[in-house]
Every structure is written in structure tokens, then in C-alpha cells.
Amino acid sequence: MSLRTAGLLISILAGLSISACSKKPEEKRGPPPTVITVAQVSARPVLVTEETVGVVDTVGSPTVTAEVPAQVERVFADVGDTVKGGQLLASLNAGDLNNAQQIARAQLNSIEALLVNQEKQTARNQQLAEQNFISATRLDESVSQLRSLQEQRKGAQAALNQAQRNLAKTRILAPVSGKIEQRMVSAGDFVTAGKPLFQIATSQNLRVRLPFPENLVNQFRTGLVVNLSTPAAPDKVVSGVIQDIKPMIGPQNRSFEAIVSVQNPGNWAPGASVTGTVVLAERAHALVVPETSVVIRPAGKVVYVVKDGRAWQRVVQTGEKNQGMVEIRGGLVLGETVAVDGAGYLTDKAIVKIKNAAA
């Protein structure tokens, strides 16, 4: 190796040594801060509620029966038809009843004619008795016959009224508005008084039956407000009150029923399912945080309190949920700042960066 080559090699090695010495060791960096939004623990009224799914029932399903014996002429309604109160459902043959009405009217007319004559005769006898042309006994007989005819007229008038009512009963009318559930008669049938003809399911006044767990029975009372909704119209909420409580615990589901009577809002049908939310009480100054602040960890339900740029895990006890907020029964104090959006990604003492404060 020549002297020139050896010098060049030494220069290269020296340069590499200086370059290596000039490099500084890389600094270790931790994970980036988690971006979150925050809110403060606040106090507001919280409703204590209990929710369940029940069923809509009718207040009554009246059975329309025949009130007079006659043959069915025509039937105007069938199963599934919606009818209004007073609507004609069927008609009966009115021949015999029409004859009975005519006979009753004829009897009344006959008695009224006799009564007119007797009134005139009694008036004449009254004058004659005053002039001593007839005895008082004869006058008494005339007055008694007049009174007898007056009573007969009352009886004949009552018989005519009854005949007219019987004739009107040949028109079978719907007693209430609703839907025909059963039709038990056809044209040509001979029906007797009391024979069932139709059954109507009413839908104007509804009764909602709501089952609740037996352990809540002591918290319920009549008059409690209930908010009701049905899947058929989820945006329509109807408010009612508990009218009755049936504390008989069922052997299968171990529950009791709360009965709520409401007016049909328009499209609720008997047999439909309904969700009922009962307001049991109100806590005026409950501590609340947004529902998204509460997350599940091995320690249980936790909320991350934000302080000094870090998230500190805090185990909490929760209560009611109202309008996107959850009640905190223990673990937080009023005014503390808690993580909202992004809380699910946090761990205890994690570094955080607040993006904006949640409402």
C-alpha cells in the first residue's frame, strides 16, 4: 500500500468517527393525547320512571241482542265492518208487531170515545143532582164509571206505547261506535228476545293493561301519570293516569297490572301493544352528566374526570335516564368536568386534549 492510499483511508475513517459522535440519541415519545369534548356535572330535576310493554283493550265489547221475537228480514253489517252508534245493523219482520200496534191504538180510541160520553153524562148528572132530580147514589155511580174509564185509558195508552216500542225494536241499531267482531244471525232466521245478534268491539274509550314487576307494587297508586305510545304511531304520545291496580301476582311472570283508561287518539286498535312509562317520583336537584360520559370498565360504571390535562377514572353509581342525561347517585360532585365524546377510548390518567366543551 502506498503512502498516499494509506493517508486517504485514515481520513475516511476519521470522518466517519466524527459523524458518529455528532449524532444525538433519539428521544422516546409517548402516545398522542386523546381528543375529547367535556361537560360539567350539573343539577336538574330528574323523573323517576318505570317502563313496560302492555296491551290495548276495549272498555267494553257490547253484545247486541234481539228484544222482540221476529224473523230476520235483512242484515246490513258483517264481521270486520266499522259502524257508528245508531247505525242500522239488521231489520226484523214487523208484520205481527205492526198489527199489535194497530190493535192497541184501536182499543185506546174506543176507550177515549166512551170516556168523552161518560164525561158528558157525569156533568149532566152533576147538574141533576144539584136540582135533586137524581139521587146522590146515581151520581156516585156515574163518577165511579168515569174514573174507571180514565184508568182504562191510561192502560190502553201504555199498551200502545209498548207496541210502538216493540215495533221500533225491529230495527237493530248499533248501541256504540266500533267494529263488528261477531255476527250470529242471518236473513231468514227466527230470533227470540235475548238472542245474540252482533258483538261490537268499541274503540272510542280504551283500557291499557300494563304489567310491572311485583317488587314495585308498593310504589304504585291510582292517579300516577302514565305516558303511552304504540309502534303503530311511535311519534304520538298519549298521557293518562292509573285508574286501577290489580295486585294479584301472576304465577308465571310474578307481576301485577296497572290499568289506564284513555280516549282513543284516532288509530289505536284493541289488541295492539303499547309502551307505558309511569312517573313514580321526581328528584328536584339530581346530579346528571351526558349518557356518553358513562362507560363500562372492569371496575364497573366509570366516568373520566378531566383535570390538569389528564383523565382520571372515577367509579360512579347511576340512576335514572332522562333526555340523554343520566343521573349520578354517587362518585361525582357538582361542577366537576367530565369527558363526553371520546370517553370510551380513555384509560385512567390518559393525556387528553379538549376539542370543545359539550353543551
Side-chain angles (χ1 to χ4, degrees), residues 249-286:
I249 307 301
Q252 301 297 327
N253 54 13
R254 308 299 298 172
S255 63
F256 67 94
E257 280 190 338
I259 309 300
V260 183
S261 297
V262 294
Q263 291 287 329
N264 194 335
N267 56 354
W268 289 22
S273 63
V274 62
T275 300
T277 303
V278 181
V279 180
L280 297 177
E282 179 180 346
R283 286 192 277 269
H285 302 287

PDB file of all heavy atoms in Angstrom, residues 249-286:
ATOM      1  N   ILE A 249    -100.622 -11.225  41.911  1.00  0.00           N
ATOM      2  CA  ILE A 249     -99.364 -11.596  41.278  1.00  0.00           C
ATOM      3  C   ILE A 249     -99.575 -12.857  40.451  1.00  0.00           C
ATOM      4  O   ILE A 249    -100.076 -13.864  40.951  1.00  0.00           O
ATOM      5  CB  ILE A 249     -98.261 -11.817  42.326  1.00  0.00           C
ATOM      6  CG1 ILE A 249     -98.168 -10.596  43.244  1.00  0.00           C
ATOM      7  CG2 ILE A 249     -96.934 -12.117  41.662  1.00  0.00           C
ATOM      8  CD1 ILE A 249     -97.872  -9.303  42.532  1.00  0.00           C
ATOM      9  N   GLY A 250     -99.206 -12.793  39.178  1.00  0.00           N
ATOM     10  CA  GLY A 250     -99.351 -13.957  38.315  1.00  0.00           C
ATOM     11  C   GLY A 250     -98.317 -15.019  38.626  1.00  0.00           C
ATOM     12  O   GLY A 250     -97.157 -14.704  38.901  1.00  0.00           O
ATOM     13  N   PRO A 251     -98.693 -16.316  38.614  1.00  0.00           N
ATOM     14  CA  PRO A 251     -97.739 -17.379  38.950  1.00  0.00           C
ATOM     15  C   PRO A 251     -96.641 -17.543  37.910  1.00  0.00           C
ATOM     16  O   PRO A 251     -95.582 -18.071  38.218  1.00  0.00           O
ATOM     17  CB  PRO A 251     -98.633 -18.624  39.023  1.00  0.00           C
ATOM     18  CG  PRO A 251     -99.818 -18.292  38.161  1.00  0.00           C
ATOM     19  CD  PRO A 251    -100.027 -16.828  38.305  1.00  0.00           C
ATOM     20  N   GLN A 252     -96.878 -17.076  36.692  1.00  0.00           N
ATOM     21  CA  GLN A 252     -95.887 -17.252  35.631  1.00  0.00           C
ATOM     22  C   GLN A 252     -94.887 -16.101  35.586  1.00  0.00           C
ATOM     23  O   GLN A 252     -93.677 -16.307  35.564  1.00  0.00           O
ATOM     24  CB  GLN A 252     -96.593 -17.392  34.272  1.00  0.00           C
ATOM     25  CG  GLN A 252     -97.569 -18.573  34.197  1.00  0.00           C
ATOM     26  CD  GLN A 252     -96.880 -19.903  34.370  1.00  0.00           C
ATOM     27  OE1 GLN A 252     -95.729 -20.076  33.970  1.00  0.00           O
ATOM     28  NE2 GLN A 252     -97.566 -20.859  34.978  1.00  0.00           N
ATOM     29  N   ASN A 253     -95.395 -14.877  35.567  1.00  0.00           N
ATOM     30  CA  ASN A 253     -94.496 -13.737  35.390  1.00  0.00           C
ATOM     31  C   ASN A 253     -94.264 -12.936  36.661  1.00  0.00           C
ATOM     32  O   ASN A 253     -93.491 -11.988  36.672  1.00  0.00           O
ATOM     33  CB  ASN A 253     -95.048 -12.805  34.309  1.00  0.00           C
ATOM     34  CG  ASN A 253     -96.484 -12.379  34.597  1.00  0.00           C
ATOM     35  OD1 ASN A 253     -96.991 -12.580  35.689  1.00  0.00           O
ATOM     36  ND2 ASN A 253     -97.129 -11.790  33.609  1.00  0.00           N
ATOM     37  N   ARG A 254     -94.949 -13.297  37.774  1.00  0.00           N
ATOM     38  CA  ARG A 254     -94.760 -12.606  39.040  1.00  0.00           C
ATOM     39  C   ARG A 254     -94.879 -11.094  38.872  1.00  0.00           C
ATOM     40  O   ARG A 254     -93.978 -10.328  39.189  1.00  0.00           O
ATOM     41  CB  ARG A 254     -93.403 -12.950  39.652  1.00  0.00           C
ATOM     42  CG  ARG A 254     -93.129 -14.425  39.773  1.00  0.00           C
ATOM     43  CD  ARG A 254     -94.127 -15.122  40.651  1.00  0.00           C
ATOM     44  NE  ARG A 254     -94.100 -14.625  42.029  1.00  0.00           N
ATOM     45  CZ  ARG A 254     -94.990 -14.977  42.961  1.00  0.00           C
ATOM     46  NH1 ARG A 254     -96.000 -15.766  42.649  1.00  0.00           N
ATOM     47  NH2 ARG A 254     -94.888 -14.500  44.175  1.00  0.00           N
ATOM     48  N   SER A 255     -95.984 -10.654  38.325  1.00  0.00           N
ATOM     49  CA  SER A 255     -96.185  -9.225  38.085  1.00  0.00           C
ATOM     50  C   SER A 255     -97.598  -8.840  38.498  1.00  0.00           C
ATOM     51  O   SER A 255     -98.435  -9.685  38.805  1.00  0.00           O
ATOM     52  CB  SER A 255     -95.966  -8.889  36.599  1.00  0.00           C
ATOM     53  OG  SER A 255     -96.919  -9.556  35.794  1.00  0.00           O
ATOM     54  N   PHE A 256     -97.859  -7.532  38.522  1.00  0.00           N
ATOM     55  CA  PHE A 256     -99.201  -7.007  38.744  1.00  0.00           C
ATOM     56  C   PHE A 256     -99.542  -6.085  37.592  1.00  0.00           C
ATOM     57  O   PHE A 256     -98.674  -5.712  36.800  1.00  0.00           O
ATOM     58  CB  PHE A 256     -99.278  -6.261  40.082  1.00  0.00           C
ATOM     59  CG  PHE A 256     -98.457  -5.008  40.125  1.00  0.00           C
ATOM     60  CD1 PHE A 256     -99.016  -3.770  39.825  1.00  0.00           C
ATOM     61  CD2 PHE A 256     -97.107  -5.052  40.450  1.00  0.00           C
ATOM     62  CE1 PHE A 256     -98.255  -2.616  39.855  1.00  0.00           C
ATOM     63  CE2 PHE A 256     -96.341  -3.905  40.495  1.00  0.00           C
ATOM     64  CZ  PHE A 256     -96.914  -2.685  40.190  1.00  0.00           C
ATOM     65  N   GLU A 257    -100.815  -5.729  37.477  1.00  0.00           N
ATOM     66  CA  GLU A 257    -101.254  -4.898  36.354  1.00  0.00           C
ATOM     67  C   GLU A 257    -101.727  -3.531  36.832  1.00  0.00           C
ATOM     68  O   GLU A 257    -102.442  -3.428  37.831  1.00  0.00           O
ATOM     69  CB  GLU A 257    -102.388  -5.579  35.584  1.00  0.00           C
ATOM     70  CG  GLU A 257    -101.933  -6.645  34.630  1.00  0.00           C
ATOM     71  CD  GLU A 257    -103.041  -7.120  33.727  1.00  0.00           C
ATOM     72  OE1 GLU A 257    -104.230  -6.959  34.090  1.00  0.00           O
ATOM     73  OE2 GLU A 257    -102.734  -7.662  32.646  1.00  0.00           O
ATOM     74  N   ALA A 258    -101.305  -2.509  36.094  1.00  0.00           N
ATOM     75  CA  ALA A 258    -101.836  -1.159  36.272  1.00  0.00           C
ATOM     76  C   ALA A 258    -102.770  -0.875  35.102  1.00  0.00           C
ATOM     77  O   ALA A 258    -102.410  -1.112  33.945  1.00  0.00           O
ATOM     78  CB  ALA A 258    -100.710  -0.132  36.312  1.00  0.00           C
ATOM     79  N   ILE A 259    -103.966  -0.400  35.396  1.00  0.00           N
ATOM     80  CA  ILE A 259    -104.991  -0.161  34.375  1.00  0.00           C
ATOM     81  C   ILE A 259    -105.096   1.333  34.123  1.00  0.00           C
ATOM     82  O   ILE A 259    -105.287   2.122  35.052  1.00  0.00           O
ATOM     83  CB  ILE A 259    -106.354  -0.720  34.811  1.00  0.00           C
ATOM     84  CG1 ILE A 259    -106.219  -2.186  35.250  1.00  0.00           C
ATOM     85  CG2 ILE A 259    -107.360  -0.583  33.690  1.00  0.00           C
ATOM     86  CD1 ILE A 259    -105.692  -3.106  34.179  1.00  0.00           C
ATOM     87  N   VAL A 260    -104.965   1.714  32.859  1.00  0.00           N
ATOM     88  CA  VAL A 260    -105.038   3.125  32.450  1.00  0.00           C
ATOM     89  C   VAL A 260    -106.157   3.270  31.427  1.00  0.00           C
ATOM     90  O   VAL A 260    -106.178   2.554  30.421  1.00  0.00           O
ATOM     91  CB  VAL A 260    -103.705   3.605  31.842  1.00  0.00           C
ATOM     92  CG1 VAL A 260    -103.784   5.086  31.495  1.00  0.00           C
ATOM     93  CG2 VAL A 260    -102.555   3.349  32.805  1.00  0.00           C
ATOM     94  N   SER A 261    -107.081   4.177  31.669  1.00  0.00           N
ATOM     95  CA  SER A 261    -108.172   4.455  30.720  1.00  0.00           C
ATOM     96  C   SER A 261    -107.850   5.728  29.953  1.00  0.00           C
ATOM     97  O   SER A 261    -107.535   6.759  30.560  1.00  0.00           O
ATOM     98  CB  SER A 261    -109.505   4.601  31.463  1.00  0.00           C
ATOM     99  OG  SER A 261    -109.852   3.397  32.104  1.00  0.00           O
ATOM    100  N   VAL A 262    -107.936   5.649  28.624  1.00  0.00           N
ATOM    101  CA  VAL A 262    -107.619   6.804  27.780  1.00  0.00           C
ATOM    102  C   VAL A 262    -108.618   6.881  26.630  1.00  0.00           C
ATOM    103  O   VAL A 262    -109.252   5.889  26.268  1.00  0.00           O
ATOM    104  CB  VAL A 262    -106.188   6.716  27.201  1.00  0.00           C
ATOM    105  CG1 VAL A 262    -105.158   6.808  28.305  1.00  0.00           C
ATOM    106  CG2 VAL A 262    -105.996   5.434  26.402  1.00  0.00           C
ATOM    107  N   GLN A 263    -108.737   8.071  26.071  1.00  0.00           N
ATOM    108  CA  GLN A 263    -109.503   8.257  24.848  1.00  0.00           C
ATOM    109  C   GLN A 263    -108.643   7.833  23.661  1.00  0.00           C
ATOM    110  O   GLN A 263    -107.445   8.117  23.621  1.00  0.00           O
ATOM    111  CB  GLN A 263    -109.905   9.731  24.699  1.00  0.00           C
ATOM    112  CG  GLN A 263    -110.938  10.201  25.703  1.00  0.00           C
ATOM    113  CD  GLN A 263    -112.325   9.667  25.428  1.00  0.00           C
ATOM    114  OE1 GLN A 263    -112.685   9.433  24.274  1.00  0.00           O
ATOM    115  NE2 GLN A 263    -113.102   9.457  26.471  1.00  0.00           N
ATOM    116  N   ASN A 264    -109.239   7.158  22.711  1.00  0.00           N
ATOM    117  CA  ASN A 264    -108.505   6.726  21.522  1.00  0.00           C
ATOM    118  C   ASN A 264    -108.023   7.955  20.753  1.00  0.00           C
ATOM    119  O   ASN A 264    -108.830   8.798  20.349  1.00  0.00           O
ATOM    120  CB  ASN A 264    -109.403   5.873  20.633  1.00  0.00           C
ATOM    121  CG  ASN A 264    -108.625   5.132  19.567  1.00  0.00           C
ATOM    122  OD1 ASN A 264    -107.537   5.537  19.161  1.00  0.00           O
ATOM    123  ND2 ASN A 264    -109.172   4.029  19.119  1.00  0.00           N
ATOM    124  N   PRO A 265    -106.705   8.090  20.543  1.00  0.00           N
ATOM    125  CA  PRO A 265    -106.203   9.254  19.805  1.00  0.00           C
ATOM    126  C   PRO A 265    -106.534   9.222  18.321  1.00  0.00           C
ATOM    127  O   PRO A 265    -106.264  10.189  17.613  1.00  0.00           O
ATOM    128  CB  PRO A 265    -104.695   9.185  20.027  1.00  0.00           C
ATOM    129  CG  PRO A 265    -104.412   7.748  20.273  1.00  0.00           C
ATOM    130  CD  PRO A 265    -105.611   7.211  20.997  1.00  0.00           C
ATOM    131  N   GLY A 266    -107.090   8.118  17.841  1.00  0.00           N
ATOM    132  CA  GLY A 266    -107.517   8.085  16.442  1.00  0.00           C
ATOM    133  C   GLY A 266    -107.227   6.803  15.715  1.00  0.00           C
ATOM    134  O   GLY A 266    -108.031   6.361  14.897  1.00  0.00           O
ATOM    135  N   ASN A 267    -106.092   6.171  15.995  1.00  0.00           N
ATOM    136  CA  ASN A 267    -105.741   4.986  15.212  1.00  0.00           C
ATOM    137  C   ASN A 267    -105.263   3.830  16.083  1.00  0.00           C
ATOM    138  O   ASN A 267    -104.612   2.917  15.596  1.00  0.00           O
ATOM    139  CB  ASN A 267    -104.655   5.338  14.191  1.00  0.00           C
ATOM    140  CG  ASN A 267    -103.419   5.937  14.842  1.00  0.00           C
ATOM    141  OD1 ASN A 267    -103.407   6.185  16.042  1.00  0.00           O
ATOM    142  ND2 ASN A 267    -102.382   6.168  14.063  1.00  0.00           N
ATOM    143  N   TRP A 268    -105.575   3.849  17.363  1.00  0.00           N
ATOM    144  CA  TRP A 268    -105.219   2.736  18.233  1.00  0.00           C
ATOM    145  C   TRP A 268    -106.303   1.673  18.153  1.00  0.00           C
ATOM    146  O   TRP A 268    -107.495   1.984  18.218  1.00  0.00           O
ATOM    147  CB  TRP A 268    -105.053   3.201  19.669  1.00  0.00           C
ATOM    148  CG  TRP A 268    -103.820   4.026  19.886  1.00  0.00           C
ATOM    149  CD1 TRP A 268    -103.128   4.717  18.935  1.00  0.00           C
ATOM    150  CD2 TRP A 268    -103.152   4.262  21.120  1.00  0.00           C
ATOM    151  NE1 TRP A 268    -102.061   5.373  19.503  1.00  0.00           N
ATOM    152  CE2 TRP A 268    -102.048   5.106  20.844  1.00  0.00           C
ATOM    153  CE3 TRP A 268    -103.369   3.858  22.420  1.00  0.00           C
ATOM    154  CZ2 TRP A 268    -101.182   5.549  21.824  1.00  0.00           C
ATOM    155  CZ3 TRP A 268    -102.509   4.287  23.412  1.00  0.00           C
ATOM    156  CH2 TRP A 268    -101.424   5.126  23.114  1.00  0.00           C
ATOM    157  N   ALA A 269    -105.890   0.427  18.016  1.00  0.00           N
ATOM    158  CA  ALA A 269    -106.838  -0.664  17.868  1.00  0.00           C
ATOM    159  C   ALA A 269    -106.727  -1.615  19.050  1.00  0.00           C
ATOM    160  O   ALA A 269    -105.634  -1.835  19.580  1.00  0.00           O
ATOM    161  CB  ALA A 269    -106.577  -1.427  16.563  1.00  0.00           C
ATOM    162  N   PRO A 270    -107.845  -2.189  19.501  1.00  0.00           N
ATOM    163  CA  PRO A 270    -107.779  -3.179  20.573  1.00  0.00           C
ATOM    164  C   PRO A 270    -106.851  -4.329  20.200  1.00  0.00           C
ATOM    165  O   PRO A 270    -106.849  -4.802  19.063  1.00  0.00           O
ATOM    166  CB  PRO A 270    -109.239  -3.652  20.698  1.00  0.00           C
ATOM    167  CG  PRO A 270    -110.050  -2.512  20.167  1.00  0.00           C
ATOM    168  CD  PRO A 270    -109.223  -1.906  19.067  1.00  0.00           C
ATOM    169  N   GLY A 271    -106.043  -4.761  21.155  1.00  0.00           N
ATOM    170  CA  GLY A 271    -105.090  -5.837  20.921  1.00  0.00           C
ATOM    171  C   GLY A 271    -103.700  -5.358  20.566  1.00  0.00           C
ATOM    172  O   GLY A 271    -102.756  -6.151  20.556  1.00  0.00           O
ATOM    173  N   ALA A 272    -103.534  -4.067  20.274  1.00  0.00           N
ATOM    174  CA  ALA A 272    -102.215  -3.543  19.905  1.00  0.00           C
ATOM    175  C   ALA A 272    -101.320  -3.445  21.139  1.00  0.00           C
ATOM    176  O   ALA A 272    -101.793  -3.250  22.260  1.00  0.00           O
ATOM    177  CB  ALA A 272    -102.356  -2.163  19.262  1.00  0.00           C
ATOM    178  N   SER A 273    -100.023  -3.598  20.913  1.00  0.00           N
ATOM    179  CA  SER A 273     -99.067  -3.429  22.010  1.00  0.00           C
ATOM    180  C   SER A 273     -98.835  -1.943  22.252  1.00  0.00           C
ATOM    181  O   SER A 273     -98.938  -1.126  21.336  1.00  0.00           O
ATOM    182  CB  SER A 273     -97.745  -4.119  21.682  1.00  0.00           C
ATOM    183  OG  SER A 273     -97.141  -3.520  20.542  1.00  0.00           O
ATOM    184  N   VAL A 274     -98.519  -1.617  23.485  1.00  0.00           N
ATOM    185  CA  VAL A 274     -98.315  -0.221  23.854  1.00  0.00           C
ATOM    186  C   VAL A 274     -97.219  -0.151  24.911  1.00  0.00           C
ATOM    187  O   VAL A 274     -97.109  -1.019  25.773  1.00  0.00           O
ATOM    188  CB  VAL A 274     -99.628   0.409  24.383  1.00  0.00           C
ATOM    189  CG1 VAL A 274    -100.097  -0.305  25.632  1.00  0.00           C
ATOM    190  CG2 VAL A 274     -99.453   1.886  24.678  1.00  0.00           C
ATOM    191  N   THR A 275     -96.376   0.866  24.792  1.00  0.00           N
ATOM    192  CA  THR A 275     -95.315   1.099  25.772  1.00  0.00           C
ATOM    193  C   THR A 275     -95.790   2.149  26.763  1.00  0.00           C
ATOM    194  O   THR A 275     -96.223   3.233  26.370  1.00  0.00           O
ATOM    195  CB  THR A 275     -94.022   1.575  25.088  1.00  0.00           C
ATOM    196  OG1 THR A 275     -93.582   0.573  24.168  1.00  0.00           O
ATOM    197  CG2 THR A 275     -92.936   1.827  26.113  1.00  0.00           C
ATOM    198  N   GLY A 276     -95.731   1.800  28.036  1.00  0.00           N
ATOM    199  CA  GLY A 276     -96.169   2.709  29.082  1.00  0.00           C
ATOM    200  C   GLY A 276     -95.022   3.103  29.990  1.00  0.00           C
ATOM    201  O   GLY A 276     -94.269   2.244  30.458  1.00  0.00           O
ATOM    202  N   THR A 277     -94.863   4.402  30.216  1.00  0.00           N
ATOM    203  CA  THR A 277     -93.839   4.921  31.120  1.00  0.00           C
ATOM    204  C   THR A 277     -94.529   5.629  32.268  1.00  0.00           C
ATOM    205  O   THR A 277     -95.203   6.639  32.066  1.00  0.00           O
ATOM    206  CB  THR A 277     -92.897   5.888  30.393  1.00  0.00           C
ATOM    207  OG1 THR A 277     -92.309   5.223  29.267  1.00  0.00           O
ATOM    208  CG2 THR A 277     -91.789   6.359  31.323  1.00  0.00           C
ATOM    209  N   VAL A 278     -94.360   5.096  33.469  1.00  0.00           N
ATOM    210  CA  VAL A 278     -95.019   5.633  34.655  1.00  0.00           C
ATOM    211  C   VAL A 278     -94.044   6.524  35.418  1.00  0.00           C
ATOM    212  O   VAL A 278     -92.900   6.141  35.661  1.00  0.00           O
ATOM    213  CB  VAL A 278     -95.515   4.499  35.576  1.00  0.00           C
ATOM    214  CG1 VAL A 278     -96.223   5.072  36.798  1.00  0.00           C
ATOM    215  CG2 VAL A 278     -96.439   3.574  34.813  1.00  0.00           C
ATOM    216  N   VAL A 279     -94.497   7.720  35.761  1.00  0.00           N
ATOM    217  CA  VAL A 279     -93.689   8.638  36.565  1.00  0.00           C
ATOM    218  C   VAL A 279     -93.969   8.345  38.038  1.00  0.00           C
ATOM    219  O   VAL A 279     -95.038   8.660  38.555  1.00  0.00           O
ATOM    220  CB  VAL A 279     -94.013  10.104  36.225  1.00  0.00           C
ATOM    221  CG1 VAL A 279     -93.168  11.037  37.068  1.00  0.00           C
ATOM    222  CG2 VAL A 279     -93.805  10.376  34.742  1.00  0.00           C
ATOM    223  N   LEU A 280     -93.008   7.726  38.709  1.00  0.00           N
ATOM    224  CA  LEU A 280     -93.194   7.341  40.113  1.00  0.00           C
ATOM    225  C   LEU A 280     -92.848   8.460  41.081  1.00  0.00           C
ATOM    226  O   LEU A 280     -93.452   8.568  42.148  1.00  0.00           O
ATOM    227  CB  LEU A 280     -92.328   6.107  40.429  1.00  0.00           C
ATOM    228  CG  LEU A 280     -92.667   4.828  39.649  1.00  0.00           C
ATOM    229  CD1 LEU A 280     -91.681   3.725  40.002  1.00  0.00           C
ATOM    230  CD2 LEU A 280     -94.092   4.389  39.940  1.00  0.00           C
ATOM    231  N   ALA A 281     -91.852   9.286  40.739  1.00  0.00           N
ATOM    232  CA  ALA A 281     -91.442  10.376  41.638  1.00  0.00           C
ATOM    233  C   ALA A 281     -90.580  11.353  40.858  1.00  0.00           C
ATOM    234  O   ALA A 281     -90.264  11.134  39.681  1.00  0.00           O
ATOM    235  CB  ALA A 281     -90.678   9.821  42.844  1.00  0.00           C
ATOM    236  N   GLU A 282     -90.188  12.437  41.517  1.00  0.00           N
ATOM    237  CA  GLU A 282     -89.301  13.438  40.909  1.00  0.00           C
ATOM    238  C   GLU A 282     -88.263  13.873  41.943  1.00  0.00           C
ATOM    239  O   GLU A 282     -88.616  14.234  43.062  1.00  0.00           O
ATOM    240  CB  GLU A 282     -90.090  14.647  40.415  1.00  0.00           C
ATOM    241  CG  GLU A 282     -89.202  15.726  39.806  1.00  0.00           C
ATOM    242  CD  GLU A 282     -89.991  16.924  39.305  1.00  0.00           C
ATOM    243  OE1 GLU A 282     -91.227  16.811  39.178  1.00  0.00           O
ATOM    244  OE2 GLU A 282     -89.369  17.963  39.049  1.00  0.00           O
ATOM    245  N   ARG A 283     -86.973  13.819  41.544  1.00  0.00           N
ATOM    246  CA  ARG A 283     -85.893  14.329  42.392  1.00  0.00           C
ATOM    247  C   ARG A 283     -85.491  15.692  41.849  1.00  0.00           C
ATOM    248  O   ARG A 283     -84.999  15.800  40.719  1.00  0.00           O
ATOM    249  CB  ARG A 283     -84.731  13.346  42.418  1.00  0.00           C
ATOM    250  CG  ARG A 283     -85.018  12.102  43.255  1.00  0.00           C
ATOM    251  CD  ARG A 283     -83.765  11.283  43.510  1.00  0.00           C
ATOM    252  NE  ARG A 283     -83.456  10.401  42.412  1.00  0.00           N
ATOM    253  CZ  ARG A 283     -83.889   9.146  42.299  1.00  0.00           C
ATOM    254  NH1 ARG A 283     -84.702   8.645  43.227  1.00  0.00           N
ATOM    255  NH2 ARG A 283     -83.552   8.392  41.267  1.00  0.00           N
ATOM    256  N   ALA A 284     -85.681  16.712  42.659  1.00  0.00           N
ATOM    257  CA  ALA A 284     -85.572  18.098  42.176  1.00  0.00           C
ATOM    258  C   ALA A 284     -84.141  18.501  41.845  1.00  0.00           C
ATOM    259  O   ALA A 284     -83.907  19.265  40.917  1.00  0.00           O
ATOM    260  CB  ALA A 284     -86.172  19.057  43.194  1.00  0.00           C
ATOM    261  N   HIS A 285     -83.140  18.036  42.589  1.00  0.00           N
ATOM    262  CA  HIS A 285     -81.765  18.504  42.407  1.00  0.00           C
ATOM    263  C   HIS A 285     -80.816  17.314  42.249  1.00  0.00           C
ATOM    264  O   HIS A 285     -79.887  17.134  43.039  1.00  0.00           O
ATOM    265  CB  HIS A 285     -81.331  19.381  43.588  1.00  0.00           C
ATOM    266  CG  HIS A 285     -82.206  20.572  43.803  1.00  0.00           C
ATOM    267  ND1 HIS A 285     -82.193  21.670  42.970  1.00  0.00           N
ATOM    268  CD2 HIS A 285     -83.153  20.830  44.738  1.00  0.00           C
ATOM    269  CE1 HIS A 285     -83.071  22.554  43.390  1.00  0.00           C
ATOM    270  NE2 HIS A 285     -83.671  22.071  44.464  1.00  0.00           N
ATOM    271  N   ALA A 286     -81.040  16.549  41.229  1.00  0.00           N
ATOM    272  CA  ALA A 286     -80.194  15.382  40.987  1.00  0.00           C
ATOM    273  C   ALA A 286     -78.977  15.780  40.159  1.00  0.00           C
ATOM    274  O   ALA A 286     -79.049  16.662  39.290  1.00  0.00           O
ATOM    275  CB  ALA A 286     -80.990  14.309  40.248  1.00  0.00           C
TER     276      ALA A 286
END
